[in-house]
Amino acid sequence: MPKKKIIAMLLAGGQGSRLGVLTKSMAKPAVPFGGKYRIIDFPLSNCVNSDIDTVGVLTQYEPLALNAYLGSGQPWDLDRMNGGVFVLPPYVSGSQGQWYSGTANAIYQNIPFIDQYEPEYVLILSGDHIYKMDYAKMLDFHIEKKADATIAVLTVPMEEASRFGIMNTDDEGRIVEFEEKPPVPKSNKASMGIYIFNWKILRPYLVADEADERSSHDFGKNIIPNLIGAGARLFAYNFSGYWKDVGTLKSLWEANMDLLGSKPEFRIADKEWRIYSKSPAMPPHYLSMDSNVKNSVVSEGCVVYGEVKNSVLFTGVHVDKGAKIIDSIVMPNAVIGEGATVTRAIIGEGAVVKAGAFVGAEKRPEDGEYDTKLTGDITLVANTVTVPEGKRVPVGMIVQ
Amino acid sequence: MENAFGLIYTGDASMQLRELTFSRSVAAVPFGGRYRAIDFMLSDLVNTGIYNVGVIAQKNYHSLMDHLESGKEWDLHRKRDGLFVLPPFVTHDNTGAYRGTVDAIRSCLGYIRRSQQKYVVLMGSHTIYNTTYNEMLRAHIGSGADITIMYNREPDYDMNEQFDDLRLKLDEDGRVVDLALNPARPETELCSCDAFVMEKSLLEYLVEDAFAHARYDFMNDVLIPHVKDLNIRGWEYKGYVARLNSLNAFYRHNMALLDKAISRELFSHEHPIYTKIKDEFPARYVGEGSAVNSMIADGCIIEGRVENSILFRGVHVAPGAVVRNSIIMQASDIGEGSVLDHMILDKAVSVGARRTLSGHGSYPVILRKGSKV
C-alpha cells in the first residue's frame, strides 16, 4: 500500500452523556448541528480541506447512526482508491477482544491499521468540537519545530482555565508541563484534544502504556505526561478562531445560536473552507403567506406557516399555522403543530410537538421537582418523542 | 430493477425559451430553486429502478456535462451500466451536427446495441413531472403494444407556446388512431409527455429505416407515418406536468411550486428528486430580512423583503431591497433598496443599489446570465 505522509484518527466513540437523551441512540459525533450538519462533519471537512485523505473513525458507542451517515465517505470526497474514510470498531483477535478502554487504548488497538500506511505523522482528533482549522498549518509548525508531538491549544480566559487540560510552555512554545483541570492554573493555554505525533515515536509509547496495568490508557493522563517525563519535544500550537466543545446541552444550544445574525460568531458559509455533509435530497424551504421568520437559519425541506425567531431549523422541519418558535433549535424532520409554542428549547430529530403544546413554559409550583442538572434553562424534547396536544413542558424539563 | 434503459434527448429546446437557452440546453435549465430540468428525468428513471441511462447531448452541452459529472448524485456512477453522456461526434457518415432526433439517436446506436435491457424509455428533456415508469412498462408489456406514449390531459393549452405538441387520438381500447404534431386547432386534449416505451430492437429498426429514407424527425417521420401499421398505444399520466416550452411557461411552472399541492407532488417523499450537491450553508434571515409565500434555497442571505418568489442557491437580497413575483437564479445579488417585480434573473446577475426593475405577469422580463444592472 502506498505510504502516507499523515493520516488522521478520529475518536468518535464517546457517548456524550451530558447531552442527555439526545445521545440515547447515537454517538455524540452524529448529533445534528447548524441546520444541515452533524458534529463529525467539522473534523472530516477540516481533514479534507487540509489535504488529509485517510481518516480512521473509531466508533464504539451506538455506532449505527454514525456508520450509516459516513457510508462510503462520498459527501466529504473521502471515497478514495488509496485511503478514504474507515470506520474502526473494536474487534476480537484470536481469543482476545476488548472494548476501547481509553483514547490511547483505542489507537493502540488500531496499530495494524495505521502501520498499513507507514505514515510519518498521525493526527489524533475528537468528534466533539465545532471549529474550522487547517491541520496542514499545524503540521508545518510541527515539522518546523522538529517536534515529537504537537498539541493544539486555545487561549482561554484565566478564570475558566481550571476546566481544561492546561499546557505550561516555555518561551519557545515547548511544553514543559501538562496539568489536567488544575485548581490553580499556571497558564491559560487549553488543550483542544488535537495532537500530531511522529508515528515512530508514538507507537512504542502506546505499546508500553498498554502493558502498564495502572494506566488509564488516556492521551491526556498518560501518554502526554510520559512523553514530557522522558524529555520528548512537545510543542503547543496556538489556534485562534472559533472553537466550541458542544458536550453539554447548553453549549450545543449556544453554538447553534452563534450562527445567527449579520456577523455571526461562527461563519460556516465560507467558500474557501466548505463544511461538507450528506444531503437529504429535499427541495428548497417554503415560507407561507402567513409565516413570519426573523433572524434565523432555515434549511432545505422546511415548510413554515408559523412564526420563527432567533432559531435554527434543520432540514425537513414543519412549522404549522400559529406555531411560535423562539430562541430554539429544531432538529431534522421535527413537526411543530398548530398554535404550539417552543422557546429556548432543543427539539430532537423527528420529534412531534402537537397543537397547542408549550415547550419551555415558565415553571409553576404544580410542575413539581425535576432534575435540571443537564439542561439548566434549556428545555429538551428527545428524538422521535411526541409532546401531546396542549401539554405544558416547563423550563429545563426533558421529555423522553 | 426494470428490464429497460433510459435514453434522454437534450436537443429539444423551444426558441421561445429565449435567453434561458442561449448558453445551455433545455435539460440544463434551472428549475425549482435548486434543480435543473434533467434532474427530474434522471430521478424518475432511477426511482423506477432503471440504472442504465444515455443522455444525448447536442449543442451547448457544457453546462449539462458540468452538472452531470459522473452521475453519482443520481446513483448512476456504476460499474455495470450507469450514466452515459453521448456528445455528438464526427465520423465518416456523421457531421456532428444532427439533422433531427433520428439522426441523434442513430449516432448513439453503438450505446443502444451494447445496452442489455430489452426495453427503452425514450424521453425529451423539456417535460417535467415526478413519476416512475413501472406501471407504464407493465401496461406496455401487457397490451402487446409496439410503442406506448405517455400523455396527459391539457385542456387549456396556450397555442402561442406550441412546441413539440404531439396530440393523440385514441380508440376505445387505448390504441392511437391519429397523431398530430403542433396542430393549429387541436382536436383532442390528450398531449404527449415526451416519453415513449418500446423494445430497443424496434427503436434500432425504426431509426435505421427512417435514416435510410432521409427522414430525420422522430415524431414527424417515425411515429406519425407508423400510426396505422404499428400498435401505438397511450398511457395516461394523471399528475402535474410542467412543459418548459416558453419563457412564460417556465415562469408559470416555477411559480406553481408555491402551491403546496403541486410542490408536494413534484417533490414527493417516496420519489425524491436528486441533484448536484453544492454544500452551501442553509439560508439565513438576517436583521429585518423576511420572506413570505416563497421558496428559498440553501446559501441565500435575506436582509430585505421577498414575496411570491423562487430564490435559487446563494442569492443575496440586501437590506431594503424588495423582490416580488420573481425567479432569482443562483448566486445573484440584489442591491440595497432595489425593487424587482415579475423578473427572471439568470445565474450570477448583479443588480446595484436602488434600481427598479419590472416585468408583467403576462411578460416576465429576463436578465441574462452574468448581467450587471
Side-chain angles (χ1 to χ4, degrees):
Chain A
M1 201 173 288
K3 273 188 176 185
K4 292 278 178 193
K5 185 176 178 189
I6 183 167
I7 72 169
M9 298 295 275
L10 204 164
L11 299 159
Q15 178 179 352
S17 50
R18 286 172 305 158
L19 287 177
V21 292
L22 273 187
T23 50
K24 195 173 154 208
S25 63
M26 66 172 84
K28 185 169 153 190
V31 168
F33 180 83
K36 64 184 286 198
Y37 308 95
R38 292 181 187 262
I39 295 171
I40 198 169
D41 289 331
F42 292 84
L44 281 182
S45 301
N46 287 339
C47 280
V48 171
N49 291 333
S50 306
D51 286 331
I52 297 172
D53 63 9
T54 307
V55 185
V57 179
L58 294 90
T59 61
Q60 172 154 292
Y61 173 79
E62 285 289 345
L64 177 65
L66 200 55
N67 285 355
Y69 186 65
L70 291 174
S72 67
Q74 186 249 315
W76 305 270
D77 220 0
L78 283 170
D79 51 338
R80 304 287 177 112
M81 294 289 275
N82 173 27
V85 67
F86 297 88
V87 176
L88 304 169
Y91 59 93
V92 174
S93 163
S95 61
Q96 298 221 306
Q98 58 165 328
W99 297 105
Y100 294 149
S101 57
T103 51
N105 171 263
I107 304 296
Y108 169 81
Q109 291 202 41
N110 286 290
I111 286 176
F113 170 80
I114 300 170
D115 278 347
Q116 294 178 98
Y117 295 99
E118 301 174 61
E120 279 174 67
Y121 309 102
V122 173
L123 168 68
I124 309 283
L125 301 168
S126 70
D128 302 350
H129 305 116
I130 300 295
Y131 63 110
K132 294 188 289 188
M133 181 175 176
D134 189 345
Y135 305 133
K137 284 195 182 139
M138 182 175 169
L139 180 61
D140 289 345
F141 172 89
H142 176 85
I143 294 167
E144 185 196 308
K145 292 287 181 188
K146 299 190 172 62
D148 297 320
T150 298
I151 300 170
V153 295
L154 188 77
T155 306
V156 296
M158 207 63 193
E159 59 273 20
E160 285 176 32
S162 53
R163 286 173 39 220
F164 294 91
I166 293 298
M167 303 291 159
N168 299 322
T169 56
D170 67 12
D171 300 344
E172 228 198 323
R174 187 162 168 180
I175 298 165
V176 292
E177 190 186 11
F178 170 77
E179 293 181 288
E180 184 68 40
K181 297 186 179 143
V184 188
K186 293 179 207 136
S187 129
N188 57 350
K189 286 183 174 164
S191 166
M192 297 162 68
I194 300 167
Y195 314 102
I196 291 178
F197 292 99
N198 290 2
W199 178 232
K200 278 204 184 101
I201 289 167
L202 176 63
R203 199 181 187 285
Y205 274 85
L206 290 173
V207 175
D209 178 71
E210 186 60 22
D212 181 356
E213 283 174 12
R214 289 160 305 157
S215 171
S216 47
H217 309 304
D218 185 80
F219 274 97
K221 291 195 191 100
N222 309 107
I223 302 289
I224 302 294
N226 289 351
L227 279 161
I228 296 173
R233 288 174 65 83
L234 272 73
F235 282 81
Y237 174 75
N238 287 301
F239 172 78
S240 59
Y242 186 90
W243 180 82
K244 192 123 186 167
D245 183 339
V246 286
T248 66
L249 291 166
K250 178 84 178 195
S251 63
L252 179 67
W253 180 84
E254 279 171 357
N256 275 284
M257 292 298 137
D258 287 344
L259 305 171
L260 303 178
S262 59
K263 297 231 160 27
E265 284 280 306
F266 184 44
R267 201 169 73 90
I268 297 182
D270 181 348
K271 293 214 168 18
E272 309 294 311
W273 203 266
R274 274 191 204 273
I275 303 301
Y276 303 100
S277 65
K278 194 167 186 166
S279 165
M282 288 189 186
H285 71 261
Y286 172 73
L287 305 188
S288 83
M289 207 62 201
D290 314 320
S291 70
N292 183 5
V293 176
K294 285 276 162 68
N295 193 42
S296 293
V297 166
V298 183
S299 311
E300 283 173 339
C302 288
V303 178
V304 180
Y305 292 92
E307 185 180 323
V308 179
K309 295 229 160 88
N310 310 323
S311 295
V312 177
L313 302 190
F314 288 64
T315 43
V317 167
H318 186 99
V319 182
D320 228 327
K321 268 187 296 205
K324 262 189 194 167
I325 298 176
I326 295 155
D327 303 330
S328 294
I329 66 180
V330 185
M331 290 188 173
N333 303 315
V335 178
I336 313 298
E338 198 173 325
T341 304
V342 173
T343 60
R344 260 183 110 75
I346 299 175
I347 308 296
E349 262 188 276
V352 179
V353 177
K354 290 261 174 148
F358 193 160
V359 177
E362 216 171 304
K363 196 178 172 196
R364 290 188 196 149
E366 67 262 31
D367 295 324
E369 286 309 306
Y370 50 88
D371 190 1
T372 59
K373 200 166 79 243
L374 290 175
T375 53
D377 62 348
I378 306 292
T379 311
L380 172 65
V381 175
N383 299 337
T384 67
V385 160
T386 299
V387 177
E389 209 172 305
K391 169 95 176 162
R392 269 184 79 257
V393 181
V395 177
M397 188 178 259
I398 298 178
V399 187
Q400 55 181 305
Chain B
M1 291 280 266
E2 285 285 354
N3 190 12
F5 67 100
L7 190 57
I8 306 172
Y9 175 67
T10 67
D12 52 342
S14 158
M15 290 302 286
Q16 295 182 75
L17 283 165
R18 309 206 318 247
E19 288 89 338
L20 270 183
T21 45
F22 277 10
S23 62
R24 57 168 82 89
S25 59
V26 66
V29 165
F31 185 81
R34 69 191 285 258
Y35 304 93
R36 291 175 189 259
I38 198 166
D39 292 337
F40 289 83
M41 289 105 220
L42 292 175
S43 302
D44 286 351
L45 287 168
V46 165
N47 290 333
T48 299
I50 293 173
Y51 287 98
N52 179 10
V53 181
V55 174
I56 305 177
Q58 190 161 7
K59 44 189 183 181
N60 304 338
Y61 57 88
H62 173 256
S63 73
L64 183 64
M65 300 278 282
D66 201 36
H67 182 68
L68 296 176
E69 288 182 331
S70 68
K72 67 180 176 189
E73 311 286 10
W74 300 269
D75 217 1
L76 287 171
H77 181 62
R78 298 286 176 130
K79 285 204 167 178
R80 277 187 59 198
D81 294 338
L83 178 73
F84 297 85
V85 179
L86 308 162
F89 58 97
V90 181
T91 60
H92 69 282
D93 65 343
N94 185 348
T95 61
Y98 301 136
R99 280 159 289 189
T101 31
V102 166
D103 217 5
I105 297 167
R106 186 179 168 273
S107 79
C108 58
L109 276 177
Y111 159 75
I112 294 171
R113 277 193 201 106
R114 275 196 308 276
S115 295
Q116 289 171 14
Q117 292 80 8
K118 185 173 179 188
Y119 298 97
V120 57
V121 183
L122 179 68
M123 335 158 62
S125 60
H126 70 279
T127 310
I128 288 175
Y129 45 82
N130 183 343
T131 189
T132 57
Y133 299 105
N134 309 89
E135 257 184 72
M136 183 178 173
L137 279 158
R138 294 290 85 75
H140 175 80
I141 296 164
S143 70
D146 295 314
I147 299 175
T148 301
I149 302 176
M150 179 166 143
Y151 68 88
N152 74 325
R153 288 173 195 275
E154 280 288 354
D156 325 303
Y157 196 56
D158 184 346
M159 297 313 292
N160 296 319
E161 297 173 3
Q162 202 172 48
F163 172 74
D164 272 5
D165 179 9
L166 186 69
R167 297 282 163 158
L168 288 72
K169 244 194 236 169
L170 305 179
D171 68 11
E172 285 151 15
D173 281 349
R175 182 169 170 173
V176 175
V177 291
D178 187 40
L179 283 173
L181 187 64
N182 302 327
R185 272 184 297 278
E187 292 169 34
T188 144
E189 59 180 31
L190 311 187
C191 188
S192 155
C193 293
D194 230 9
F196 311 91
V197 169
M198 71 200 88
E199 283 188 24
K200 87 163 190 179
S201 54
L202 178 63
L203 179 66
E204 286 170 309
Y205 166 76
L206 291 172
V207 164
E208 290 282 25
D209 182 59
F211 186 80
H213 294 89
R215 296 182 183 140
Y216 301 112
D217 187 75
F218 184 74
M219 285 187 238
N220 264 322
D221 301 333
V222 176
L223 286 178
I224 294 174
H226 283 293
V227 164
K228 296 233 152 47
D229 58 329
L230 287 179
N231 181 2
I232 303 178
R233 304 184 82 87
W235 185 82
E236 184 175 2
Y237 175 65
K238 295 200 170 88
Y240 185 79
V241 177
R243 290 185 171 82
L244 303 184
N245 45 15
S246 72
L247 197 62
N248 280 35
F250 168 83
Y251 179 81
R252 207 169 54 235
H253 288 303
N254 268 287
M255 287 301 165
L257 296 173
L258 300 178
D259 179 324
K260 196 166 112 190
I262 291 173
S263 79
R264 259 198 201 148
E265 209 188 304
L266 275 179
F267 305 113
S268 93
H269 282 294
E270 292 125 84
H271 304 137
I273 303 300
Y274 302 98
T275 187
K276 186 170 172 174
I277 305 301
K278 302 265 192 205
D279 292 292
E280 295 269 12
F281 186 67
R284 294 199 294 134
Y285 294 86
V286 176
E288 287 306 300
S290 67
V292 293
N293 193 36
S294 293
M295 198 171 189
I296 293 169
D298 273 4
C300 288
I301 301 174
I302 313 295
E303 299 182 271
R305 173 78 172 167
V306 179
E307 296 169 9
N308 313 322
S309 295
I310 311 268
L311 269 56
F312 284 67
R313 293 184 276 209
V315 169
H316 176 224
V317 180
V322 181
V323 176
R324 279 192 202 104
N325 311 311
S326 295
I327 299 166
I328 316 290
M329 290 190 209
Q330 199 182 315
S332 288
D333 188 64
I334 318 299
E336 261 184 63
S338 284
V339 178
L340 270 61
D341 194 5
H342 286 101
M343 295 295 295
I344 299 172
L345 270 54
D346 205 326
K347 283 166 81 170
V349 169
S350 135
V351 176
R354 290 171 296 283
R355 302 283 184 268
T356 301
L357 302 170
S358 178
H360 185 265
S362 62
Y363 197 89
V365 171
I366 182 167
L367 297 182
R368 277 182 76 172
K369 189 171 167 179
S371 316
K372 290 195 168 40
V373 182

